[in-house]
């Protein structure tokens, strides 16, 4: 018995059921019962497959397909069943028709990967891609009567790979090699323009304050209306126009992603592979982690032939991130370039300044050195011994200054690229031996051994002798400065490639962390032991640059505690340059002699003896006569000058070279005052001051600091550490003597006011520290501190445990006096040390202001009051003058800032004077 015709579609899924229900008699294929065995077999194959398959049968290309294929054609199913494929896929027949007809005509199967088709399966013209195979379908008699199509959709893969290529192109185009932001944006949109199927058009807007400016733009086929004509050039975010709002630019500039629709009215731009109009765009804010607001906006069109699904939106997020990164990198690169240009300009100005100043220094130095040399060599009117010593000191230091000026001039020329080498054919061995010999006396005086091994070279070397002298001099001077035991060895050797100068020492060595920076200008190794702290920090940098100028290089090898070896290598090729002829340049040997003179100053160690006052000046009735002064300075000429100056006042002076020696001398015999430099080897002046103030035995010892470090910060640092006074070099001798006298008198008055007390139990004497209340005495005449009687507790509203007042002369030295008195008074109250230091700094600023600003005071004094209550410290500073600012504009406000940083400050100014009150709340002891 014959089975029903519907059995053919059994197990064919939904498509099979629809086929079974279809009236095939109304189709070109006719009733199912009349179908040939070949057609039946082909249908069974199609329905049983889980792979998308389509069977086209007969001259009308009647369609039969399975469920998998039905999913591919979307809305066209189920109407496509039994219908002509040329009708169903009319929009893509221009692509499919030739392939199908070829298969039927030739009977040969074909395979096309990633075939692009236009489909209208979801309500719009969609760009889709399929891998398709067309095979001939034969009837029972062997004739080709149809085509069996097997296909798979690869749209997601094709589009995804294409979008990845765009993102890769963006990363390559925005790789930071472009130094200009506008050029980077142009490269980015150029890359985007190469992918119109995904981004039909694009524009980059960057923020410039409250304005968005269009930096780059791409879109539209040539010869047609492009996006350039429809987008605004700039958008004022404070008052955006209707066009800007229509494109969503203001909202995107505030960080919101905007989907722009209705582009047919804004931009009649054909887009996509079939020139359909783009109807949607996205305004995407450029993300930035460094800025509160987006730095710009990317406006990008959406393909009319792709659905704006989640994958498409994710692509745009990656796209805008790539653009943001590239723009951010370009901006940083541009800013860095501008900073580099500014630094280069600053460096050029600095170099010109050094050059001009160095030239200007040479004229007065010449006019100083000439008369000084004439005075020293004048046989007709010889100088007296005392005057000769003074003139020699001036001549030595003027020579040293000239050497420094010459080094700065050479270095500035090297920096500016204007330095030249006056190369001459020289006997390098003889020249090096001669230069090393100049240092022999200084090296041997230091207790070291100088070894020189410079055998004759096979031929002369063409080099600038002056530059070579500077190289050898700096290396030897450096070795002598940092070598205390052993030897310094200078060698010259050669091979077929180069000539090598080696200066090796057995000095302190250089740490690995400092070796890479050793030839940087102004770099100095911190804390290194040396014979002197003086120097500019450009010596080794100058050696490095001069060696390069001569065509060579300098190398260094060093070990801490073992020594250092510097090698200057000069290739023979550099030494064969064309040599100049004519007389050599004047000044040969000057640099070496000046360096040796300076080194001799390092080696002039004081003998540790006390220099007694000059009794030839006659008897003195000065109450400070015989005072003991300890001088600490690493410069021998400065020590000698201070010793002569101070002994001339009837004082006994002991001089040392650094802070460590000063500390030893103080413990050996306590002086009346310490006069110390700041910049010294071994232990500097500030470190010495810290140690003295930390030791109860020397806490009250007067210390006056001398320093070449000018400026408010340096003086504040010294005074905050407890210095009694701070004086900047150069100074007037009369001012120094006056400050020393004032410091010694204050110290003696304090001792007189607080005499030593004897502890009966231990029978030892100790100085009485600050008491809780001051002695009740009347105000003494102004000229030193005076104490006002303490106010009984609770009379001032604070519930005071302490209320002390002082009066000080309106003089710069009063700040130091006030600090010591306040420190001593508050010392017994168990205040936090940091709080105490804060109060002292604030009070010092108030005192300085009172002294500097109070003009024409009715009383030449400043009054200070310290009150301590429950949880509160109050310091009041009152002057009796009219305030007028005398400081440079650049210093204004520094004192007020410091005071406000350390306490609550109030200022009350009247015709009778000004009172500054500083209050500091104390932490609750609970």
């Amino acid at each position: 018995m014959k089975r029903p015709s519907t059995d053919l579609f059994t197990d064919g899924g939904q498509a099979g059921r629809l086929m079974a229900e279809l009236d095939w008699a109304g189709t070109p294929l006719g009733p199912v019962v009349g179908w040939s065995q070949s057609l039946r077999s082909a249908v069974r194959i199609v329905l049983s497959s889980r792979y998308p398959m389509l069977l086209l049968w007969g001259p009308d290309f009647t369609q039969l397909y399975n469920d998998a294929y039905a999913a591919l054609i979307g809305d066209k199913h189920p109407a496509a069943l039994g219908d002509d494929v040329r009708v169903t896929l009319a929009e893509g027949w221009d692509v499919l028709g030739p392939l199908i007809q070829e298969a039927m005509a030739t009977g040969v199967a074909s395979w096309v990967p990633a075939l692009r088709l236009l489909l209208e399966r979801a309500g719009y013209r969609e760009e889709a891609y399929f891998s398709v195979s067309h095979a001939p379908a034969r009837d029972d008699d062997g004739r080709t009567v149809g085509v069996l199509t097997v296909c798979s959709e690869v749209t997601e893969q094709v589009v995804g790979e294409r979008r990845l290529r765009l993102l890769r192109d963006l990363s390559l185009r925005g790789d930071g090699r472009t130094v200009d932001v506008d050029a980077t944006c142009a490269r980015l949109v150029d890359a985007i323009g190469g992918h119109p199927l995904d981004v039909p058009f694009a524009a980059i807007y960057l923020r410039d304050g409250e304005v968005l400016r269009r930096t780059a733009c791409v879109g539209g086929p040539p010869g047609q209306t492009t996006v350039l004509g429809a987008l605004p050039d700039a958008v004022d975010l404070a008052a955006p126009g209707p066009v800007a709002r229509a494109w969503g630019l203001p909202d995107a500039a505030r960080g919101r992603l905007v989907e722009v629709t209705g582009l047919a009215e804004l931009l009649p731009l054909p887009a996509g592979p079939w020139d359909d109009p783009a109807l949607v765009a996205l305004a995407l804010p450029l993300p930035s982690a460094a800025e509160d607001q987006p730095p710009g906006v990317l406006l990008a069109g959406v393909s009319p032939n792709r659905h704006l699904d989640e994958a498409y939106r994710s692509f745009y997020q990656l796209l805008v991130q790539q653009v943001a990164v590239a723009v951010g990198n370009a901006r940083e690169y541009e800013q860095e370039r501008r900073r580099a240009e500014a630094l280069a300009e600053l460096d050029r100005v600095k170099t010109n300044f050094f050059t001009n100043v160095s030239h200007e220094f040479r004229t007065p130095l010449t006019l100083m050195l000439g008369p000084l040399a004439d005075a020293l060599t004048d046989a007709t009117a010889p100088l007296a011994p005392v005057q000769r010593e003074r003139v020699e000191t001036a001549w030595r230091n003027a020579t040293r200054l000239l050497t420094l000026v010459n080094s700065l001039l050479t270095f500035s020329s090297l920096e500016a690229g204007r330095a030249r080498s006056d190369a001459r054919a020289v006997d390098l061995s003889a020249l090096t031996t001669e230069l090393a010999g100049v240092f022999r006396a200084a090296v041997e005086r230091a207790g070291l051994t100088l070894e020189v091994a410079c055998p004759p070279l096979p031929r002369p070397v063409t080099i600038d002798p002056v530059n070579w002298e500077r190289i050898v001099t700096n290396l030897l001077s450096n070795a002598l400065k940092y070598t205390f035991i052993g030897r310094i060895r200078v060698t010259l050797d050669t091979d077929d490639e180069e000539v090598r100068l080696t200066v090796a020492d057995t000095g302190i060595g250089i740490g690995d962390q400092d070796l890479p920076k050793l030839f940087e200008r102004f770099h100095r190794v911190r804390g290194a032991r040396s014979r002197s702290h003086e120097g500019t920090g450009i010596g080794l940098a100058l050696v490095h640059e001069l060696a390069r100028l001569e065509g060579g290089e300098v190398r260094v090898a060093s070990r801490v505690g073992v020594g250092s070896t510097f090698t200057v290598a000069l290739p023979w090729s550099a030494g064969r340059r064309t040599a100049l002829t004519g007389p050599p340049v004047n000044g040969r040997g000057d640099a070496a002699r000046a360096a040796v003179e300076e080194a001799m100053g390092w080696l002039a160690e004081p003998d540790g003896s006390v220099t007694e006052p000059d009794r030839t000046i006659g008897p003195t009735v000065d109450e400070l006569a015989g005072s003991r002064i300890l001088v600490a300075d690493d410069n021998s000429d400065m020590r000698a000058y201070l010793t002569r100056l101070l002994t001339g006042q009837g004082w006994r002076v002991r001089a040392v070279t650094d802070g460590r020696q000063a500390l030893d001398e103080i413990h050996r015999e306590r002086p009346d005052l310490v006069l110390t430099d700041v910049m010294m080897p071994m232990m500097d002046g500030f470190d010495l001051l810290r140690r003295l103030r930390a030791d109860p035995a020397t806490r009250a010892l007067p210390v006056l600091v001398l320093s070449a470090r000018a400026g408010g910060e340096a003086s504040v640092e010294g005074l905050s550490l407890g210095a009694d006074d701070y004086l900047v070099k150069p100074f007037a001798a009369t001012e120094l003597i006056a400050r020393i006298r004032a410091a010694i008198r204050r110290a003696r008055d304090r001792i007189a006011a607080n005499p030593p007390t004897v502890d009966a139990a231990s029978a030892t004497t100790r100085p009485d520290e600050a008491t809780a209340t001051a002695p009740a005495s009347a105000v003494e005449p102004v000229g030193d501190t005076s104490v006002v009687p303490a106010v009984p507790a609770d009379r001032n509203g604070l519930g005071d445990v302490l209320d002390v007042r002082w009066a000080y002369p309106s003089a710069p030295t009063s700040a130091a006096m006030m600090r010591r008195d306040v420190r001593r008074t508050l010392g017994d109250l168990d205040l936090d040390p940091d709080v105490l230091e804060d109060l002292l700094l604030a009070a010092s600023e108030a005192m300085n202001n009172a002294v500097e600003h109070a003009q024409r005071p009715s009383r030449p004094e400043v009054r200070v009051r310290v009150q301590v209550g429950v949880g509160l410290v109050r310091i009041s500073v009152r002057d009796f003058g009219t305030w007028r600012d005398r400081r440079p504009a650049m210093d204004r406000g520094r004192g007020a800032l410091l005071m406000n940083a350390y306490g609550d400050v109030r200022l009350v100014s009247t015709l009778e004077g000004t009172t500054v009150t500083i209050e500091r709340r104390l932490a609750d002891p609970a």
Side-chain angles (χ1 to χ4, degrees), residues 143-171:
R143 290 181 304 108
T144 300
V145 294
V147 174
L148 181 63
T149 300
V150 180
C151 60
S152 62
E153 185 169 6
V154 292
T155 303
E156 295 300 327
Q157 295 92 313
V158 172
V159 173
E161 290 174 1
R162 190 174 67 204
R163 292 171 180 172
L164 285 177
R165 285 197 299 272
L166 172 54
L167 296 175
R168 183 203 62 190
D169 292 345
L170 284 178
S171 66

Side-chain angles (χ1 to χ4, degrees), residues 482 508-511 513-514 522-529 533 679 684 709:
Y482 295 100
I508 62 172
I510 305 163
Q513 69 277 8
D514 287 301
F522 311 123
H523 175 72
R524 306 187 71 173
V525 179
R526 288 185 172 272
R529 181 189 179 196
H533 200 78
M679 308 295 285
D684 64 23
R709 295 172 57 189

Side-chain angles (χ1 to χ4, degrees), residues 426-456:
V426 299
D427 183 346
L428 197 63
S429 175
L431 176 60
T432 306
T433 302
E434 176 187 348
L435 293 173
V438 176
F439 280 82
R440 185 172 296 279
V443 172
E444 292 178 351
R445 182 172 181 176
L448 306 174
T449 301
L450 177 63
E451 300 177 0
V452 181
C454 300

Side-chain angles (χ1 to χ4, degrees), residues 250-476:
D251 289 337
R254 297 184 182 92
R256 187 168 71 87
L257 187 150
V258 181
E259 184 173 329
V260 184
T261 57
L263 292 191
E265 300 176 1
L266 296 172
L267 183 67
L269 177 68
W274 299 281
D275 289 337
D276 293 329
L279 301 177
V280 178
L282 294 178
L284 302 116
L286 298 182
S288 174
E291 301 181 38
D292 296 334
Q293 294 179 318
V297 174
L298 172 66
L299 186 63
V302 176
S303 171
N305 304 119
R306 291 299 304 161
H307 177 57
L308 188 56
D309 54 12
E310 190 61 32
Y312 206 175
R313 292 179 182 274
S314 298
F315 160 72
Y316 275 114
Q317 291 296 335
L318 293 174
L319 179 72
V320 75
Q321 288 176 12
Q322 287 277 39
V323 171
V325 169
V327 171
N329 289 341
R331 277 185 164 178
E332 291 179 3
Y333 195 98
E334 196 172 57
Q335 291 172 1
E336 187 64 30
R337 178 176 57 82
R338 284 198 294 266
R339 284 194 293 267
E341 290 174 352
L343 289 175
E345 176 62 17
L346 183 63
D347 196 59
R348 185 190 65 79
V349 172
K350 178 212 65 179
T351 300
N352 289 338
F353 170 77
F354 274 132
T355 303
N356 295 335
V357 168
S358 298
H359 277 296
E360 291 299 319
F361 278 163
R362 296 175 79 132
T363 298
L365 281 171
T366 301
L367 296 176
M368 290 167 59
L369 286 168
L372 290 173
D374 292 342
L376 291 172
T377 58
D378 192 347
T380 59
L383 296 172
V386 173
Q387 298 300 329
R388 172 172 288 278
E389 184 178 0
R390 292 173 177 169
V391 172
E392 285 177 345
T393 300
W395 180 83
R396 281 195 304 272
N397 285 277
T399 302
R400 181 185 172 203
L401 183 57
L402 179 61
T403 302
L404 175 61
V405 167
N406 288 335
S407 296
L408 288 175
L409 186 59
T410 301
F411 196 79
S412 63
S413 298
L414 289 166
E415 289 280 285
R418 294 195 297 266
R420 59 189 179 89
S421 173
D422 294 330
R424 300 173 182 276
V426 299
D427 183 346
L428 197 63
S429 175
L431 176 60
T432 306
T433 302
E434 176 187 348
L435 293 173
V438 176
F439 280 82
R440 185 172 296 279
V443 172
E444 292 178 351
R445 182 172 181 176
L448 306 174
T449 301
L450 177 63
E451 300 177 0
V452 181
C454 300
L457 300 179
R459 54 183 177 273
V461 178
T462 304
I463 197 172
D464 186 334
V466 175
N467 289 343
W468 188 255
E469 178 182 351
R470 292 186 179 122
I471 290 172
V472 175
T473 296
N474 275 291
L475 291 178
L476 280 171

